[in-house]
Amino acid sequence: MASTERPSWAPDAIDLERPNAARIYDYLLGGAANFAQDRAFAEQLLTMMPEARSAARLNRAFLRRAVRFCVGAGIRQFLDVGSGIPTAGNVHEIAQRMDPSCRVLYVDTEPVAVKHSELMLRDNDRAAAIRADLVDPDSILNSDLARRLLDFDEPMALLLVSMLHFVPDEAGPFEAVARYVSAMASGSYLVLSHGIEIARERADQVGKLYEQSPTRGVGRRFEDVERFFTGLELIEPGLVWTPQWRPESPEDVGDHPESAVIVAGVARKP
Ligand SMILES: C[S@@+](CC[C@H](N)C(=O)[O-])C[C@H]1O[C@@H](n2cnc3c(N)ncnc32)[C@H](O)[C@@H]1O
């Protein structure tokens, strides 16, 4: 599809000329909701970071295991911020397969992600999507959809999966996460994954590449990511590379879990 061709599902508000994190990720996962600029960006990213595609898949696999863990722990409501473009094994599919009463609110800043989510959820009255920004928690927590789908007196899971590395410190991600955590009932979970700066030089190259997109990458170290869990109890095995988080089999971890590039953890609000 040429960058100037606007398919019928693409909202007018979207910028087709600039690559975007949601659509680059969709391309890496083999999806079709991306444009020429996103694909060119992703190919450039793959030359700098050949493991980017497997990192995206391993992240998605972590998300699936974490959602199953949460449902197993009694959670029936999910707030998924930075949810991305729907792809195989979405949160509501995994959760509602285990218990159809599960409710999911998806949130993303990217219009294509929200549009696709809305189309997919047309006939599902227990899941919905809104366009909003993580760093404006009140616009999400006080939205009509949040009031309809989520009960803040009951435990829930807040999913911030592979998205905080697009939110720079100056935008206030630590304060925003603390605000969500304070709104959640005791027994709630924070499910989080985050890209890690492994090699300074390469992180700089990738950071420069992302400057072309409205979602610029932020390099954080392991210790910085741990700060997001302040006041929460990290459950076993703690903050680890995505394939190391409760793998289904030892083979899934492989010899180089660090090539997953993304760390992941799940914590409980006491
Ligand atoms: C790499 S995708 C991750 C999608 C999904 N969470 C997953 O792990 O499969 C990152 C998503 O975060 C979204 N995003 C980036 N910054 C955001 C913000 N400040 N508020 C809400 N969503 C944001 C992007 O639009 C993109 O869809």
Side-chain angles (χ1 to χ4, degrees), residues 129-207:
I130 51 169
R131 187 175 174 204
D133 196 311
L134 169 90
V135 295
D136 187 4
D138 291 320
S139 75
I140 298 172
L141 298 172
N142 298 329
S143 65
D144 291 344
L145 281 172
R147 287 176 199 279
R148 178 166 77 75
L149 287 170
L150 306 174
D151 176 355
F152 287 88
D153 293 330
E154 292 292 324
M156 66 178 66
L158 169 64
L159 312 181
L160 301 176
V161 179
S162 190
M163 67 83 60
L164 284 163
H165 44 244
F166 296 115
V167 190
D169 285 0
E170 54 277 20
F174 290 97
E175 296 78 356
V177 172
R179 169 79 184 97
Y180 293 101
V181 169
S182 75
M184 300 193 307
S186 158
S188 293
Y189 287 89
L190 170 61
V191 173
L192 186 152
S193 75
H194 196 298
I196 284 284
E197 204 178 82
I198 343 172
R200 182 72 253 173
E201 199 182 314
R202 201 176 74 163
D204 287 346
Q205 274 185 334
V206 173

Side-chain angles (χ1 to χ4, degrees), residues 67 71 74-80 91-93 95-96 99-106 121 124-128 145-157 159:
V67 169
V71 179
I75 298 295
R76 294 294 178 271
Q77 40 182 4
F78 294 83
L79 175 57
D80 184 358
V91 172
H92 71 283
E93 293 165 332
Q96 292 178 346
D99 183 339
S101 75
C102 288
R103 285 153 288 130
V104 182
L105 180 59
Y106 291 110
L121 300 171
N124 193 324
D125 62 5
R126 295 203 174 91
L145 281 172
R147 287 176 199 279
R148 178 166 77 75
L149 287 170
L150 306 174
D151 176 355
F152 287 88
D153 293 330
E154 292 292 324
M156 66 178 66
L159 312 181

Side-chain angles (χ1 to χ4, degrees), residues 20-23 25 29 56 59-60 63 80-85 87 107-110 113 132-135 140 159-167 193 215:
N20 175 280
R23 297 174 339 229
Y25 184 70
L29 287 170
N59 176 65
R60 235 16 239 183
L63 172 63
D80 184 358
V81 185
S83 46
I85 293 166
T87 181
V107 181
D108 205 288
T109 43
E110 218 291 312
D133 196 311
L134 169 90
V135 295
I140 298 172
L159 312 181
L160 301 176
V161 179
S162 190
M163 67 83 60
L164 284 163
H165 44 244
F166 296 115
V167 190
S193 75
T215 34

Side-chain angles (χ1 to χ4, degrees), residues 224-253:
D224 303 322
V225 177
E226 271 185 322
R227 277 180 49 214
F228 284 112
F229 295 103
T230 304
L232 302 173
E233 294 163 351
L234 263 171
I235 60 150
E236 284 298 317
L239 186 62
V240 290
W241 298 110
T242 46
Q244 293 175 312
W245 196 89
R246 301 187 176 223
E248 273 151 15
S249 76
E251 299 84 72
D252 291 346
V253 181

